[in-house]
Amino acid sequence: MKTIAEGAVRRYATGLIDILDRVGDDVMSVKDEITEVMQGLMTVPGLDTVMANPSALVTEGLGFSTGWLYYDCDVRIVRGVLRAGFVQRPHNHGTWNIFGVYSGALHYRSYARVDDQTAPFHAELRVVENRVMTAGDVT
């Protein structure tokens, strides 16, 4: 049986898909619309406790766990739990990534690649965003 939270997640995911279908790769032109949808999603009660698949516990070795709240081949909404002190090295998702904080706070830093991409396994980066994000913040 579907819960209220599951129906709400689907509605927000559909809203996000509608925006992305309309603008294609020009997501920065609708940054405020995307932020509004994501902030709405983060008002859904119970996202921190609803079953997320594949589910995993925060382990000593990793310091984080993730699980899907929504997945339909167009959009994947993932809930992550980060342990205090967790540090993520710079990495590339290979696609757009929208990040929001449901509860708590974290230090968020994002980068842009500035080298000519000719050296294998090497990237020169510059910081483009460096801030503390709290509940309801989206980037």
Side-chain angles (χ1 to χ4, degrees), residues 9-23:
V9 169
R10 180 180 306 276
R11 281 191 305 278
Y12 286 109
T14 301
L16 186 58
I17 291 167
D18 290 345
I19 293 168
L20 296 174
D21 283 348
R22 188 177 80 238
V23 300

PDB file of all heavy atoms in Angstrom, residues 9-23:
ATOM      1  N   VAL A   9       6.564  12.090  -2.955  1.00  0.00           N
ATOM      2  CA  VAL A   9       7.863  11.988  -3.634  1.00  0.00           C
ATOM      3  C   VAL A   9       7.642  11.876  -5.139  1.00  0.00           C
ATOM      4  O   VAL A   9       8.317  12.541  -5.934  1.00  0.00           O
ATOM      5  CB  VAL A   9       8.689  10.804  -3.081  1.00  0.00           C
ATOM      6  CG1 VAL A   9       9.911  10.540  -3.951  1.00  0.00           C
ATOM      7  CG2 VAL A   9       9.100  11.069  -1.638  1.00  0.00           C
ATOM      8  N   ARG A  10       6.680  11.068  -5.558  1.00  0.00           N
ATOM      9  CA  ARG A  10       6.376  10.916  -6.987  1.00  0.00           C
ATOM     10  C   ARG A  10       5.923  12.247  -7.589  1.00  0.00           C
ATOM     11  O   ARG A  10       6.325  12.606  -8.684  1.00  0.00           O
ATOM     12  CB  ARG A  10       5.306   9.854  -7.209  1.00  0.00           C
ATOM     13  CG  ARG A  10       4.950   9.670  -8.683  1.00  0.00           C
ATOM     14  CD  ARG A  10       3.885   8.617  -8.896  1.00  0.00           C
ATOM     15  NE  ARG A  10       4.220   7.350  -8.304  1.00  0.00           N
ATOM     16  CZ  ARG A  10       4.992   6.429  -8.891  1.00  0.00           C
ATOM     17  NH1 ARG A  10       5.501   6.669 -10.075  1.00  0.00           N
ATOM     18  NH2 ARG A  10       5.246   5.290  -8.301  1.00  0.00           N
ATOM     19  N   ARG A  11       5.089  13.001  -6.878  1.00  0.00           N
ATOM     20  CA  ARG A  11       4.627  14.300  -7.391  1.00  0.00           C
ATOM     21  C   ARG A  11       5.793  15.266  -7.575  1.00  0.00           C
ATOM     22  O   ARG A  11       5.880  15.948  -8.595  1.00  0.00           O
ATOM     23  CB  ARG A  11       3.580  14.909  -6.455  1.00  0.00           C
ATOM     24  CG  ARG A  11       2.199  14.299  -6.623  1.00  0.00           C
ATOM     25  CD  ARG A  11       1.129  15.082  -5.893  1.00  0.00           C
ATOM     26  NE  ARG A  11       1.402  15.262  -4.473  1.00  0.00           N
ATOM     27  CZ  ARG A  11       1.142  14.361  -3.519  1.00  0.00           C
ATOM     28  NH1 ARG A  11       0.626  13.189  -3.857  1.00  0.00           N
ATOM     29  NH2 ARG A  11       1.392  14.624  -2.258  1.00  0.00           N
ATOM     30  N   TYR A  12       6.699  15.321  -6.604  1.00  0.00           N
ATOM     31  CA  TYR A  12       7.858  16.213  -6.740  1.00  0.00           C
ATOM     32  C   TYR A  12       8.796  15.735  -7.845  1.00  0.00           C
ATOM     33  O   TYR A  12       9.333  16.539  -8.609  1.00  0.00           O
ATOM     34  CB  TYR A  12       8.597  16.363  -5.411  1.00  0.00           C
ATOM     35  CG  TYR A  12       7.853  17.234  -4.442  1.00  0.00           C
ATOM     36  CD1 TYR A  12       7.250  16.693  -3.312  1.00  0.00           C
ATOM     37  CD2 TYR A  12       7.720  18.604  -4.666  1.00  0.00           C
ATOM     38  CE1 TYR A  12       6.547  17.491  -2.425  1.00  0.00           C
ATOM     39  CE2 TYR A  12       7.025  19.405  -3.786  1.00  0.00           C
ATOM     40  CZ  TYR A  12       6.436  18.846  -2.669  1.00  0.00           C
ATOM     41  OH  TYR A  12       5.742  19.645  -1.797  1.00  0.00           O
ATOM     42  N   ALA A  13       8.982  14.426  -7.969  1.00  0.00           N
ATOM     43  CA  ALA A  13       9.822  13.887  -9.042  1.00  0.00           C
ATOM     44  C   ALA A  13       9.226  14.230 -10.406  1.00  0.00           C
ATOM     45  O   ALA A  13       9.943  14.630 -11.325  1.00  0.00           O
ATOM     46  CB  ALA A  13       9.978  12.376  -8.887  1.00  0.00           C
ATOM     47  N   THR A  14       7.918  14.088 -10.535  1.00  0.00           N
ATOM     48  CA  THR A  14       7.238  14.428 -11.793  1.00  0.00           C
ATOM     49  C   THR A  14       7.391  15.910 -12.111  1.00  0.00           C
ATOM     50  O   THR A  14       7.624  16.292 -13.261  1.00  0.00           O
ATOM     51  CB  THR A  14       5.752  14.038 -11.720  1.00  0.00           C
ATOM     52  OG1 THR A  14       5.666  12.631 -11.466  1.00  0.00           O
ATOM     53  CG2 THR A  14       5.028  14.350 -13.015  1.00  0.00           C
ATOM     54  N   GLY A  15       7.275  16.763 -11.098  1.00  0.00           N
ATOM     55  CA  GLY A  15       7.478  18.197 -11.301  1.00  0.00           C
ATOM     56  C   GLY A  15       8.878  18.502 -11.776  1.00  0.00           C
ATOM     57  O   GLY A  15       9.084  19.325 -12.681  1.00  0.00           O
ATOM     58  N   LEU A  16       9.863  17.823 -11.200  1.00  0.00           N
ATOM     59  CA  LEU A  16      11.254  18.003 -11.615  1.00  0.00           C
ATOM     60  C   LEU A  16      11.454  17.537 -13.049  1.00  0.00           C
ATOM     61  O   LEU A  16      12.098  18.218 -13.863  1.00  0.00           O
ATOM     62  CB  LEU A  16      12.173  17.246 -10.654  1.00  0.00           C
ATOM     63  CG  LEU A  16      13.655  17.433 -10.832  1.00  0.00           C
ATOM     64  CD1 LEU A  16      14.056  18.901 -10.705  1.00  0.00           C
ATOM     65  CD2 LEU A  16      14.409  16.585  -9.806  1.00  0.00           C
ATOM     66  N   ILE A  17      10.896  16.388 -13.407  1.00  0.00           N
ATOM     67  CA  ILE A  17      11.005  15.862 -14.770  1.00  0.00           C
ATOM     68  C   ILE A  17      10.376  16.835 -15.768  1.00  0.00           C
ATOM     69  O   ILE A  17      10.945  17.094 -16.837  1.00  0.00           O
ATOM     70  CB  ILE A  17      10.365  14.463 -14.875  1.00  0.00           C
ATOM     71  CG1 ILE A  17      11.205  13.443 -14.103  1.00  0.00           C
ATOM     72  CG2 ILE A  17      10.208  14.041 -16.338  1.00  0.00           C
ATOM     73  CD1 ILE A  17      10.514  12.115 -13.879  1.00  0.00           C
ATOM     74  N   ASP A  18       9.234  17.394 -15.430  1.00  0.00           N
ATOM     75  CA  ASP A  18       8.577  18.362 -16.319  1.00  0.00           C
ATOM     76  C   ASP A  18       9.485  19.560 -16.590  1.00  0.00           C
ATOM     77  O   ASP A  18       9.616  20.018 -17.727  1.00  0.00           O
ATOM     78  CB  ASP A  18       7.246  18.839 -15.729  1.00  0.00           C
ATOM     79  CG  ASP A  18       6.174  17.760 -15.726  1.00  0.00           C
ATOM     80  OD1 ASP A  18       6.350  16.738 -16.426  1.00  0.00           O
ATOM     81  OD2 ASP A  18       5.171  17.933 -15.006  1.00  0.00           O
ATOM     82  N   ILE A  19      10.124  20.076 -15.543  1.00  0.00           N
ATOM     83  CA  ILE A  19      11.049  21.209 -15.707  1.00  0.00           C
ATOM     84  C   ILE A  19      12.227  20.805 -16.587  1.00  0.00           C
ATOM     85  O   ILE A  19      12.586  21.513 -17.535  1.00  0.00           O
ATOM     86  CB  ILE A  19      11.556  21.714 -14.342  1.00  0.00           C
ATOM     87  CG1 ILE A  19      10.412  22.337 -13.544  1.00  0.00           C
ATOM     88  CG2 ILE A  19      12.699  22.717 -14.515  1.00  0.00           C
ATOM     89  CD1 ILE A  19      10.756  22.602 -12.082  1.00  0.00           C
ATOM     90  N   LEU A  20      12.826  19.662 -16.305  1.00  0.00           N
ATOM     91  CA  LEU A  20      14.003  19.225 -17.060  1.00  0.00           C
ATOM     92  C   LEU A  20      13.664  18.937 -18.520  1.00  0.00           C
ATOM     93  O   LEU A  20      14.455  19.238 -19.416  1.00  0.00           O
ATOM     94  CB  LEU A  20      14.633  18.005 -16.386  1.00  0.00           C
ATOM     95  CG  LEU A  20      15.182  18.258 -14.977  1.00  0.00           C
ATOM     96  CD1 LEU A  20      15.639  16.952 -14.345  1.00  0.00           C
ATOM     97  CD2 LEU A  20      16.277  19.292 -14.975  1.00  0.00           C
ATOM     98  N   ASP A  21      12.491  18.363 -18.777  1.00  0.00           N
ATOM     99  CA  ASP A  21      12.058  18.121 -20.159  1.00  0.00           C
ATOM    100  C   ASP A  21      11.913  19.433 -20.924  1.00  0.00           C
ATOM    101  O   ASP A  21      12.225  19.518 -22.103  1.00  0.00           O
ATOM    102  CB  ASP A  21      10.732  17.362 -20.195  1.00  0.00           C
ATOM    103  CG  ASP A  21      10.883  15.881 -19.907  1.00  0.00           C
ATOM    104  OD1 ASP A  21      12.032  15.384 -19.902  1.00  0.00           O
ATOM    105  OD2 ASP A  21       9.848  15.220 -19.684  1.00  0.00           O
ATOM    106  N   ARG A  22      11.453  20.450 -20.223  1.00  0.00           N
ATOM    107  CA  ARG A  22      11.238  21.753 -20.860  1.00  0.00           C
ATOM    108  C   ARG A  22      12.551  22.447 -21.213  1.00  0.00           C
ATOM    109  O   ARG A  22      12.664  23.073 -22.251  1.00  0.00           O
ATOM    110  CB  ARG A  22      10.406  22.638 -19.919  1.00  0.00           C
ATOM    111  CG  ARG A  22       9.961  23.941 -20.543  1.00  0.00           C
ATOM    112  CD  ARG A  22       9.081  24.760 -19.608  1.00  0.00           C
ATOM    113  NE  ARG A  22       9.901  25.464 -18.645  1.00  0.00           N
ATOM    114  CZ  ARG A  22       9.815  25.356 -17.320  1.00  0.00           C
ATOM    115  NH1 ARG A  22       8.933  24.550 -16.777  1.00  0.00           N
ATOM    116  NH2 ARG A  22      10.601  26.048 -16.537  1.00  0.00           N
ATOM    117  N   VAL A  23      13.589  22.332 -20.374  1.00  0.00           N
ATOM    118  CA  VAL A  23      14.811  23.123 -20.577  1.00  0.00           C
ATOM    119  C   VAL A  23      16.003  22.319 -21.084  1.00  0.00           C
ATOM    120  O   VAL A  23      17.022  22.903 -21.433  1.00  0.00           O
ATOM    121  CB  VAL A  23      15.220  23.874 -19.289  1.00  0.00           C
ATOM    122  CG1 VAL A  23      14.122  24.811 -18.855  1.00  0.00           C
ATOM    123  CG2 VAL A  23      15.626  22.921 -18.184  1.00  0.00           C
TER     124      VAL A  23
END
